């Protein structure tokens, strides 16, 4: 069965799950020039479901790696070229009946010339936008990668809506569909589709001249001899670095866009003298109950938030657009925004209100440690009801935080600095910090937001006030 | 084939609680289970059980090793083929070879088995060509073997549905007055299904000649057994009114002995038995699953010490029943099998679109024929005619 002359074979990214459309290539386990055997792991890919190794379907020599590590690859795109023909054990000769890598489901083999542009052209399932609002489509179109993972079970209707929105958007622009652009499904009758497939013409590149832009057989014929496509020229600025939008960054972007353009934000600021709090902190740190836990300023802020939220339950609520209801939560799942090597994550402490100060300190320490190690369990990232973002650790005074989606308020806690402050009628150096509270004005009015922020401030200025709560 | 990523190993939530002592015939430091039937320890020592005496020839013992090794190789090749895009999905039996070969070999001619979608080892024992299983997972057909000829039903994807088929079939056997038994396969997760419980109620009421063979591989996809049942599964049988036995599912000899006894009892009119084969799914639920998300690597390592093939190999070597040449021969045969499976799978022709009409009924009904004609006409409407 061995051929004397080497045959070049391309291995296309398979769907390693059920109905997945893309995967991220985490790392290559082979290099150009390596000799590989059948089933030798070639690379590691991560899909929405799992990280898995892809074993080689061929025995031979690696000629070319077509995708760089870190890239997101569409299912069906070739990732590696292997020169076979040395009769490696277990390598069947191709029969032309759908061997891996030779053709893909879209029949695009015939036009495989340059891989980069083609990859971005791959058709995929409609994706869900953060809230599926059609009027948001243009916004998202500028950052297509902000869209979430493919719609699967129960998501068909959502997918259809997204697709419909995309078609409307496309109809609005009269510009021809540019190659490399992710457009709607081109309109063509099934026999014409088949004809296009047989001719190796990608319908997405064809401009329809039939009624309503339907692609006809003549259009396919016209497209069969296309003018040479101009190479995609991106003038690289000196030192410019292009970072693919994925992972936590992608998620954060989607969440922030969704939040910023859904909940009308109001931000209020309060400057507080926390000298007494800092004194209390030192005293508390010596108590046996708190031995071994970190008594941080953040702990006091968290405690103050929990106490104040008890007095103003509406601050700990959510807007349920679908049900047309405001959900006032029975417990505070306190989120702490944590900067991690992988980006921003907001794990939360479930029912933080029931914890003692020592327990809360322990929970906060665990939470941030786990987050920084990148090991936060998914359950700890969902279900938050209120968030604190400690911008002070970066030496910053304050900011206008954006709500964690689904929550009614978020508190930013700035750096604690020695400042001149009027204390008992005299200007004294005091330890002062700034608080910034952003809230969803659909739920929380200025009065409630102000009262809540004032209560948090009062508790930090005079921790003894907690006795009155 | 699933890569283990450190960061996901830890985030397993409640499933982690299961990582405590696994009750079973395990490493010496774990508590022994008095109820567990075992004839071959994880260390490869042959032990006797008064209730389940077993006489096996040396040839049979070597045969079991060979079967298990070949089936494991098949399983590995199928997993790789899925990763290469040649199969739509694959459900790995890694770790469950002894449970399946022991049960499969306990069947006699004339007995009927109703599998789930993971019973590759039973299929092997029943003489089903692996390629007929591969064609199912490639999406070429619904399983290429004749269930009547092989005494082995088609794979059932619906969880637990086959238990009703098995009980119904067993009641038919009873009414025919035939001297054969039925073996229903199910997993631990299926015990929570309504139809499995219905099947057991009917089986008990009619004393049907059916044996429920439950491979408790500890996980229903990601849900650990402790969340499915507050009692050991074999004890559930008492509630239905028939005996339940727990057997070391990684001990091919114990599985053979227990299943053989249960099938014999069924043939003799003593009604059903529930067998809980206590085992472990070493791989993912299917190729779409990532087990590192819900169980600890340490747990898997623990179970590696109870590997069904390793313990038989230890026994064969120690007792001088097999030498290095034998094991090398089995390895070579396994590689040959893998090549045959690979070639056979990738070369499978796609079925014509009209093939779906062929096996709906034994005979073509007028309604079906009309549908077929309509579909053919539609296909012909494409440029270049039907594919």
């Amino acid at each position: 069965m061995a051929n004397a002359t080497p045959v070049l074979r391309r291995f296309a990214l398979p769907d390693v799950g059920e109905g997945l459309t893309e995967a991220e290539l985490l790392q290559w386990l082979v290099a150009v020039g390596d000799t590989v055997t059948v089933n030798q792991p070639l690379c590691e890919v991560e899909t929405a479901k799992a990280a898995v190794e892809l074993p080689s379907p061929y025995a031979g020599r690696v000629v070319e790696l077509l995708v760089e590590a870190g890239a997101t690859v569409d299912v069906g795109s070739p990732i590696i070229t292997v020169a076979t023909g040395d009769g490696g054990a277990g390598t069947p000769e191709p029969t032309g009946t759908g061997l891996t890598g030779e053709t893909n489901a879209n029949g695009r083999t015939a036009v495989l010339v340059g891989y980069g542009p083609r990859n971005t052209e791959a058709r995929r399932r409609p994706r869900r936008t953060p809230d599926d609002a059609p009027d948001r489509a243009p916004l998202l179109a500028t950052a297509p990668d902000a869209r979430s993972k493919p719609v699967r079970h129960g998501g068909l209707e959502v997918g259809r809506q997204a697709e419909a929105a995309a078609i409307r958007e496309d109809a609005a622009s009269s510009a021809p569909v540019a190659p490399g652009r992710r457009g709607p499904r081109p309109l063509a009758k099934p026999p014409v589709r088949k004809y296009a497939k047989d001719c190796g013409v990608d319908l997405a590149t064809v401009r329809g001249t039939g009624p309503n832009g339907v692609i006809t057989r003549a259009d396919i014929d016209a497209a069969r001899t296309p003018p040479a496509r101009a190479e995609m020229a991106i003038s690289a600025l000196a030192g410019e670095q292009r970072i693919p939008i994925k992972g936590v960054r992608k998620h954060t972007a989607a969440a922030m866009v969704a939040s910023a353009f859904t909940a009308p934000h109001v931000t209020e600021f309060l400057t507080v003298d926390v000298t007494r709090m800092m004194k209390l902190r030192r005293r508390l740190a010596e108590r046996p109950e708190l031995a071994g836990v970190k008594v941080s300023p953040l702990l006091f802020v968290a405690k103050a938030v929990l106490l104040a939220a008890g007095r103003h339950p509406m601050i700990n609520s959510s807007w349920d657009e679908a049900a047309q209801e405001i959900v006032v939560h029975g417990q505070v799942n306190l989120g702490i925004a944590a900067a991690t090597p992988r980006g921003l994550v907001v794990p939360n402490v479930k029912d933080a209100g029931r914890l003692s100060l020592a327990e809360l300190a322990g929970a906060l320490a665990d939470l941030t440690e786990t987050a920084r190690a990148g090991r936060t369990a998914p359950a700890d990232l969902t279900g938050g009801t209120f968030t604190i973002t400690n911008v002070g650790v970066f030496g910053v005074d304050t900011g206008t935080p954006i709500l964690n989606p689904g929550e009614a308020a978020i508190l930013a806690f700035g750096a604690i600095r020695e400042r001149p402050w009027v204390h008992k009628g005299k200007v004294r150096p005091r330890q002062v910090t700034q608080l910034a509270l952003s809230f969803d004005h659909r739920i929380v009015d200025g009065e409630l937001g102000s009262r809540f922020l004032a209560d948090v401030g009062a508790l930090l200025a005079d921790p003894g006030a907690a006795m009155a709560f | 084939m699933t890569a283990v990523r450190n960061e996901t190993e830890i985030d397993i939530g409640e499933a982690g609680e299961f990582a405590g002592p696994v009750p079973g015939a395990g490493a010496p430091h774990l508590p022994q289970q008095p109820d567990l039937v075992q004839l071959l320890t994880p260390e490869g020592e042959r032990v006797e059980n008064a209730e389940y005496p077993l006489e096996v020839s040396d040839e049979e013992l070597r045969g079991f090793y060979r079967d298990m090794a070949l089936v494991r190789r098949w399983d590995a090749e199928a997993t790789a083929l899925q990763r290469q895009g040649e199969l739509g999905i694959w459900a790995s039996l890694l770790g469950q070879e002894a449970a399946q070969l022991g049960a499969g070999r306990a069947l006699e001619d004339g007995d009927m088995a109703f599998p789930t979608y993971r019973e590759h080892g039973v299929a092997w024992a029943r003489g089903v060509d692996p390629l007929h299983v591969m064609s199912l997972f490639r999406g070429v057909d619904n399983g290429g073997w004749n269930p009547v000829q092989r005494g082995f039903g088609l794979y059932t994807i619906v969880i637990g549905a086959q238990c009703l088929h098995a009980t119904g079939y067993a009641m038919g056997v009873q009414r025919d007055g035939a001297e054969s038994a039925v073996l229903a396969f199910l997993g631990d997760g299926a015990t929570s299904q309504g139809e499995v419980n219905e099947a057991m109620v009917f089986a008990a009421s009619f004393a049907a000649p059916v044996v429920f063979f439950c491979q408790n591989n500890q996980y229903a996809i990601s849900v650990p057994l402790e969340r499915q049942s507050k009692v050991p599964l074999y004890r559930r049988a008492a509630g239905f009114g028939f005996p339940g036995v727990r057997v070391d599912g990684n001990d091919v000899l114990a599985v053979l002995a227990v299943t053989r006894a249960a099938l014999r009892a069924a043939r003799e009119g003593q009604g059903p038995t529930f067998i809980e084969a206590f085992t472990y799914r070493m791989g993912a639920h299917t190729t779409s699953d990532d087990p590192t998300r819900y169980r600890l690597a340490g747990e898997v390592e623990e179970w590696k010490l109870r590997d069904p093939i390793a313990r038989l190999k230890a026994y064969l070597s120690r007792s001088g029943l097999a030498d290095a040449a034998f094991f090398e021969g089995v390895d070579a045969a396994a590689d040959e099998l893998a090549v045959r499976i690979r070639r056979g799978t990738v070369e499978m022709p796609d079925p014509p679109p009209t093939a779906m009409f062929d096996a709906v009924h034994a005979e073509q009904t007028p309604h079906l024929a009309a549908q077929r004609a309509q579909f053919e006409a539609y296909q012909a409407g494409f440029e270049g005619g039907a594919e």
Side-chain angles (χ1 to χ4, degrees):
Chain A
M1 300 296 285
N3 265 346
T5 51
V7 181
L8 293 183
R9 306 211 177 286
R10 288 195 182 113
F11 177 35
L13 180 75
D15 172 8
V16 294
E18 296 160 71
L20 298 175
T21 55
E22 63 180 21
E24 182 185 342
L25 201 146
L26 295 177
Q27 59 168 326
W28 280 108
L29 305 172
V30 295
V32 170
D34 284 1
T35 303
V36 294
T37 57
V38 171
N39 293 346
Q40 178 180 336
L42 293 176
C43 60
E44 198 186 355
V45 300
E46 182 168 25
T47 68
K49 290 187 175 183
V52 298
E53 284 176 354
L54 295 186
S56 175
Y58 309 117
R61 192 174 47 80
V62 177
V63 175
E64 197 181 0
L65 304 181
L66 303 168
V67 175
E68 279 179 26
T72 298
V73 187
D74 288 319
V75 166
S77 301
I79 56 173
I80 189 171
T81 308
V82 178
T84 64
D86 53 354
T91 313
E93 289 305 307
T95 58
T97 53
L99 269 187
T100 310
E102 298 306 301
T103 51
N104 60 35
N106 295 333
R108 288 184 291 152
T109 321
V111 287
L112 273 175
V113 201
Y115 304 102
R118 299 298 303 180
N119 289 350
T120 59
E121 200 170 341
R123 269 177 262 135
R124 63 187 75 199
R125 296 184 184 192
R127 286 154 172 252
R128 189 195 333 231
T129 58
D131 71 352
D132 309 313
D135 57 342
R136 295 263 304 289
L139 180 85
L140 286 154
T142 59
D145 279 342
R147 296 171 189 207
S148 57
K149 290 289 180 191
V151 177
R152 294 205 65 239
H153 305 290
L156 267 183
E157 202 44 50
V158 171
R160 286 198 193 100
Q161 282 172 16
E163 196 172 29
I167 289 169
R168 278 198 295 279
E169 180 200 340
D170 199 64
S173 90
S174 57
V177 178
R181 140 132 204 224
R182 182 187 301 146
R185 192 163 183 252
L187 300 173
K189 290 172 181 168
V192 177
R193 282 185 191 284
K194 166 107 168 66
Y195 181 59
K197 190 177 164 185
D198 292 346
C199 299
V201 172
D202 185 347
L203 285 174
T205 63
V206 180
R207 185 154 165 73
T209 59
N212 298 322
V214 168
I215 297 167
T216 64
R217 198 167 179 233
D219 295 333
I220 304 288
D221 287 335
R224 285 182 77 170
T225 49
R229 187 186 297 166
E231 279 304 306
M232 193 188 293
I234 298 170
S235 60
L237 296 172
E240 182 185 76
Q241 194 192 359
R242 299 184 74 90
I243 301 164
I245 299 164
K246 59 189 184 186
V248 175
R249 171 59 36 212
K250 194 164 161 176
H251 178 78
T252 303
M256 288 301 103
V257 169
S259 173
F261 294 93
T262 307
H265 285 53
V266 176
T267 306
E268 295 189 334
F269 304 93
L270 182 67
T271 308
V272 190
D273 171 8
V274 293
T275 314
R276 283 192 207 169
M277 179 192 98
M278 298 303 274
K279 281 183 185 158
L280 176 64
R281 177 189 172 213
R282 283 193 290 278
R283 287 208 306 280
L284 279 181
E286 287 162 13
R287 290 191 65 85
E289 298 93 325
L290 292 164
V293 297
K294 193 181 171 200
V295 184
S296 63
L298 176 66
L299 176 63
F300 285 90
V301 176
K303 190 70 191 172
V305 161
L306 291 168
L307 288 168
R311 212 181 240 197
H312 310 286
M314 283 295 280
I315 210 83
N316 185 48
S317 61
S318 299
W319 181 271
D320 188 341
E321 181 71 38
Q324 283 299 299
E325 286 170 345
I326 292 167
V327 186
V328 184
H329 300 294
Q331 61 183 53
V332 181
N333 294 340
L334 186 65
I336 304 292
T340 74
R342 300 165 72 196
L344 172 69
V345 294
V346 189
N348 62 74
V349 180
K350 298 281 185 293
D351 199 3
R354 85 189 137 75
L355 301 179
S356 70
L357 197 65
E359 288 168 336
L360 184 61
L364 291 177
D366 284 352
L367 209 65
T368 43
E369 236 169 68
T370 312
R372 292 208 178 105
R375 291 181 301 170
T376 304
D380 288 339
L381 290 172
T382 55
T385 63
F386 187 99
T387 296
I388 297 174
T389 173
N390 186 4
V391 297
V393 294
F394 304 111
V396 169
D397 288 329
T398 191
T400 55
I402 295 182
L403 293 166
N404 202 18
E407 297 176 14
I410 180 170
L411 184 75
F413 167 44
I416 298 173
R417 301 182 194 284
E418 285 224 317
R419 293 238 170 121
W421 190 263
V422 178
H423 179 68
K424 294 182 181 169
K426 290 188 177 151
V427 176
R428 300 266 187 213
R430 299 288 287 180
Q431 290 179 295
V432 174
T433 190
Q434 287 194 53
L435 302 175
L437 180 79
S438 290
F439 51 85
D440 182 346
H441 210 327
R442 292 176 301 178
I443 306 176
V444 179
D445 291 329
E447 184 199 357
L448 173 61
S450 307
R451 285 183 188 278
F452 175 79
L453 182 59
D455 276 352
V456 173
L459 285 163
L460 296 182
D462 178 12
M467 295 297 287
F469 272 68
Chain B
M1 302 303 295
T2 302
V4 174
R5 309 192 69 211
N6 290 331
E7 58 187 61
T8 50
E9 260 182 49
I10 323 277
D11 299 339
I12 55 157
E14 285 175 70
E17 292 159 21
F18 192 73
V22 180
H29 63 277
L30 293 175
Q32 292 291 318
Q33 280 186 110
D35 292 344
L36 187 92
V37 180
Q38 191 178 71
L39 299 180
L40 192 61
T41 69
E43 295 74 33
E45 276 170 61
R46 184 79 166 81
V47 289
E48 291 302 327
N49 184 305
E51 222 175 315
Y52 296 99
L54 181 71
E55 291 286 321
V56 274
S57 69
D58 298 349
E59 195 46 50
E60 276 178 294
L61 285 170
R62 283 190 290 266
F64 272 124
Y65 178 83
R66 189 187 160 85
D67 283 345
M68 292 198 289
L70 291 185
V71 166
R72 179 171 286 189
R73 186 69 181 83
W74 165 17
D75 187 74
E77 198 64 19
T79 302
L81 283 165
Q82 198 282 336
R83 294 279 179 256
Q84 291 157 359
E86 300 292 349
L87 295 181
I89 189 172
W90 180 251
S92 168
L93 64 27
L94 189 62
Q96 298 176 224
E97 295 88 350
Q100 297 195 4
L101 266 308
R105 289 279 179 235
L107 288 161
E108 292 182 2
D109 289 347
D111 288 347
M112 184 73 188
F114 288 86
T116 72
Y117 45 77
R118 203 190 295 282
E119 263 63 81
H120 321 315
V122 188
W124 178 269
R126 297 304 271 167
V128 173
D129 187 329
L131 286 174
H132 282 155
V133 176
M134 298 298 278
S135 61
L136 166 64
F137 287 92
R138 193 173 162 87
V140 169
D141 56 36
N142 296 314
W145 64 94
N146 183 333
V148 180
Q149 273 175 6
R150 294 280 152 222
F152 185 66
L154 290 174
Y155 275 8
T156 304
I157 311 295
V158 176
I159 303 299
Q162 72 281 2
C163 290
L164 284 174
H165 309 160
T167 297
Y169 190 95
M171 288 166 65
V173 167
Q174 207 171 27
R175 277 148 188 73
D176 289 347
E179 278 259 323
S180 57
V182 178
L183 190 53
F185 286 88
L186 65 151
D188 44 295
T191 59
S192 297
Q193 293 283 131
E195 50 264 65
V196 170
N197 290 272
E198 290 162 17
M200 291 188 191
V201 167
F202 269 79
S205 297
F206 290 89
V210 57
V211 173
F212 297 97
F213 189 89
C214 174
Q215 287 167 80
N216 174 4
N217 69 13
Q218 314 300 336
Y219 288 92
I221 306 188
S222 60
V223 179
L225 179 71
E226 60 179 8
R227 246 181 280 165
Q228 305 257 4
S229 182
K230 296 294 177 195
V231 298
L233 289 178
Y234 73 100
R235 282 203 216 145
R236 285 208 179 158
F240 293 98
F242 49 83
V245 189
R246 179 180 269 187
V247 60
D248 183 345
N250 287 8
D251 172 354
V252 70
L253 301 183
V255 173
L256 174 70
V258 168
T259 315
R260 204 177 254 173
L263 289 170
R264 191 188 305 125
R267 273 184 223 108
E268 289 169 358
Q270 296 178 45
T273 304
F274 181 91
I275 298 172
E276 178 189 3
F278 201 82
T279 181
Y280 194 78
R281 190 189 77 214
M282 297 300 288
H285 169 68
T286 67
T287 45
S288 301
D289 172 45
D290 181 356
T292 62
R293 292 188 184 186
Y294 52 81
R295 67 185 193 189
L296 289 170
E299 186 184 302
V300 181
E301 292 302 315
E302 192 108 35
W303 275 93
K304 274 187 190 164
L305 301 175
R306 301 169 207 169
D307 187 80
I309 301 182
R311 73 171 76 176
L312 185 55
K313 187 174 187 178
Y315 176 66
L316 289 174
S317 318
R318 200 175 301 143
S319 52
L321 296 177
D323 54 10
F326 168 76
F327 295 117
E328 279 163 24
V330 171
D331 288 349
D335 285 342
E336 243 169 69
L337 175 69
V339 170
R340 183 172 91 81
I341 287 173
R342 167 170 292 272
R343 190 183 304 275
T345 301
V346 301
E347 289 177 357
M348 271 175 204
D350 287 342
T354 49
M356 62 179 165
F357 296 99
D358 293 343
V360 180
H361 300 297
E363 292 162 19
Q364 288 281 309
T365 63
H367 183 61
L368 201 59
Q371 278 187 14
R372 185 191 187 110
Q374 200 177 11
F375 185 68
E376 276 170 352
Y378 172 72
Q379 289 285 314
F382 287 93
E383 296 269 351
E387 282 185 334

